[in-house]
Amino acid sequence: MQDYHLNQQELAELRAAHRAARNVREAYRLNAVVLLGSGWSPSEVAAALLINDDTVRTHFKRYKEGGIAALERMNYVGSEALLTAAQLAELDAHLQQQLHPSAAAVARWVEARFGVRYTDSGMTALLHRLGYRFKKPKLLPGKAPAPEVQEAFVASYKKLKDNKGEHDAILFMDATHPQHNPVRAGGWIKRGRCFALKSNTGRRRLNINGVIDVETQHAVIRYDDTIDAASTIALFSQVEAAYPKAATITVFCDNARYYRSKAVRAYLEHSRIDLQFLPPYAPNLNLNLIERFWKFFKRQVLYNRYYETFTDYKAACQQFFADLDAHAEQLRSLLTDNFEIIRSD
C-alpha cells in the first residue's frame, strides 16, 4: 500500500501555496494533496472534493515528481512543454500589437509560432499570469486630428479658462434624442429567474438640446420637435438669459451643419455668445463631457424604468433637469475637463 504521508514542512508549503492559489482548480489540486498527506485515504479525499480516486492519486504523483510547481503548471499548459522566458516576452509583445478574440486563438498562434500546445483553460491561465484580462477594446475615431492639433486646443482652452471674466461662462453644447422606452441595464437578479421589464411600442422620442457648465454643473435645456438652426438660436437666447452678467459666454460644439447656418451666424453677430468649433473627429475634446452628462441623465431616469404614458416620461425627464442640485456631488466627479489626447501609436 502506497504511503501518502507528508512531513510538516511539506504540508506547510502546500498550505501556503493553497492560500496563494490563482484559481479554484489549482486550489483543489493542492487541497487534495494536503488532505492525502495528512492521513486521509484517496477515497475519503475524492468524496470530500467530488472527484475520483485516480485523480487524487494523479495529483499526489505529480507533486512527488515535480513539487508544487507541477501542480501549478497544470493551470496553463496542455503538455509538459513550457515557453521559455524569451518566448513569453515575444508572446507579450505580440499580444500588445495583435488583438485575439479568444484564448484558443492565442493558443493556436503559440503552437504555430513555437510548437508548444496549450489547452484553452491553460492559455487563459497563462494570459492572466502575464497580466491580461478579457475585455472590449476602446473605440477611437479613425480620423482623429493630429496630436499637436488636439494639444493646441487643450492649451487654448486652459488659457481661456484661466483668463475668463468673473461672470463669464464656458459651456459645452450637444443634443440627445431619448426614446419613450426603458433603457435595459444590468441589475441584481436572482439566479435562474427572469426580471420582466415592460416596454412601449412605437418610436416616439424627445429631442433635447442643451448646454452644460462644467464649473457649476448648471444646465440649460430645451425641448423641440426637431434640432435645427431655429432651435439652436432659441437655446442661445435661453443661455444668455441664464447668464445676465456674463460679458462673454463661450460655447464649445461639434461641427453640425446647423451650427454653421446663416441664421445662426447672423444671430451671433449681436450676441454675447462666442461659438467655438472643435476639431472634427475629436469627441475626446468635447462631446465626451456632455455625453457623460447625457449618459448620467439616462442612467438616472431611463435605465430599467417604464413610463406608461409619454406625458409621464417627459415629466420625469423635466424633473431630473429641474433638480440637478440633488446630483451635484456625482456630477462634480463625472464632469472633469481632463481631456485625453488620442495618439495613433
Side-chain angles (χ1 to χ4, degrees):
M1 183 175 181
Q2 185 172 350
D3 181 13
Y4 295 108
H5 180 267
L6 298 175
N7 61 44
Q8 292 302 313
Q9 179 63 32
E10 291 172 320
L11 290 172
E13 292 174 351
L14 283 162
R15 289 190 176 100
H18 182 271
R19 289 193 295 272
R22 291 186 291 269
N23 60 48
V24 173
R25 290 184 178 181
E26 179 182 327
Y28 263 79
R29 288 193 290 271
L30 291 162
N31 196 11
V33 175
V34 168
L35 294 176
L36 202 56
S38 300
W40 290 40
S41 69
S43 59
E44 288 173 331
V45 176
L49 299 182
L50 302 180
I51 55 180
N52 61 56
D53 297 14
D54 288 340
T55 300
V56 174
R57 296 187 184 95
T58 297
H59 292 338
F60 191 86
K61 180 181 178 181
R62 281 182 174 273
Y63 168 71
K64 295 302 287 185
E65 292 175 350
I68 292 173
L71 297 176
E72 294 174 334
R73 184 181 306 155
M74 292 170 66
N75 275 330
Y76 55 86
V77 62
S79 67
E80 290 301 318
L82 294 173
L83 293 181
T84 65
Q87 290 171 332
L88 286 172
E90 183 178 340
L91 172 61
D92 190 24
H94 169 74
L95 292 173
Q96 292 185 50
Q97 298 296 322
Q98 177 67 43
L99 185 64
H100 289 271
S102 64
V106 180
R108 287 193 294 271
W109 185 89
V110 167
E111 185 173 8
R113 181 74 179 88
F114 304 119
V116 177
R117 181 178 174 275
Y118 282 77
T119 64
D120 291 357
S121 60
M123 179 53 68
T124 298
L126 176 58
L127 291 171
H128 286 166
R129 178 166 153 253
L130 292 175
Y132 288 87
R133 297 294 179 268
F134 191 82
K135 58 183 181 180
K136 292 181 180 179
K138 179 180 180 180
L139 290 178
L140 298 177
K143 299 179 181 179
E148 54 267 26
V149 174
Q150 302 174 59
E151 290 167 352
F153 162 76
V154 173
S156 65
Y157 173 83
K158 290 181 177 178
K159 183 178 180 180
L160 172 67
K161 188 176 178 180
D162 292 341
N163 295 289
K164 74 180 184 69
E166 179 183 359
H167 300 293
D168 291 350
I170 300 175
L171 312 176
F172 291 83
M173 176 173 65
D174 193 27
T176 188
H177 312 277
Q179 287 190 1
H180 176 210
N181 246 327
V183 176
R184 287 195 304 162
W188 291 101
I189 302 173
K190 195 169 184 65
R191 184 177 298 172
R193 300 290 296 275
C194 175
F195 191 96
L197 184 64
K198 292 182 178 180
S199 62
N200 296 303
T201 58
R203 297 186 179 182
R204 195 173 182 187
R205 67 182 186 180
L206 287 174
N207 293 307
I208 305 175
N209 205 3
V211 298
I212 184 69
D213 187 326
V214 176
E215 182 178 357
T216 66
Q217 290 84 52
H218 175 258
V220 178
I221 302 295
R222 65 174 291 108
Y223 305 85
D224 290 284
D225 292 336
T226 186
I227 306 299
D228 54 15
S231 66
T232 300
I233 291 172
L235 177 62
F236 286 162
S237 180
Q238 287 182 225
V239 168
E240 289 183 293
Y243 294 89
K245 296 182 179 180
T248 303
I249 305 170
T250 304
V251 177
F252 289 101
C253 65
D254 63 14
N255 288 267
R257 183 176 300 176
Y258 44 79
Y259 292 154
R260 296 182 179 274
S261 68
K262 291 182 180 179
V264 169
R265 292 202 305 269
Y267 177 87
L268 292 174
E269 289 179 2
H270 308 286
S271 170
R272 289 178 291 136
I273 290 178
D274 177 21
L275 195 62
Q276 295 288 326
F277 293 95
L278 277 298
Y281 308 108
N284 54 309
L285 300 183
N286 176 38
L287 295 188
N288 68 338
L289 281 171
I290 194 163
E291 282 186 354
R292 271 184 258 165
F293 177 63
W294 293 141
K295 288 179 181 178
F296 180 78
F297 148 67
K298 292 176 182 178
R299 188 160 59 245
Q300 297 297 316
V301 180
L302 307 179
Y303 278 21
N304 295 333
R305 298 203 180 190
Y306 169 72
Y307 300 96
E308 184 174 359
T309 69
F310 189 78
T311 300
D312 292 340
Y313 165 67
K314 184 174 182 179
C317 295
Q318 291 172 325
Q319 181 60 41
F320 168 82
F321 295 116
D323 194 26
L324 284 183
D325 288 344
H327 309 286
E329 185 175 348
Q330 291 168 281
L331 290 173
R332 191 174 298 111
S333 61
L334 179 69
L335 302 176
T336 58
D337 52 6
N338 297 321
F339 300 106
E340 176 190 5
I341 303 299
I342 295 177
R343 303 181 187 278
S344 59
D345 53 359

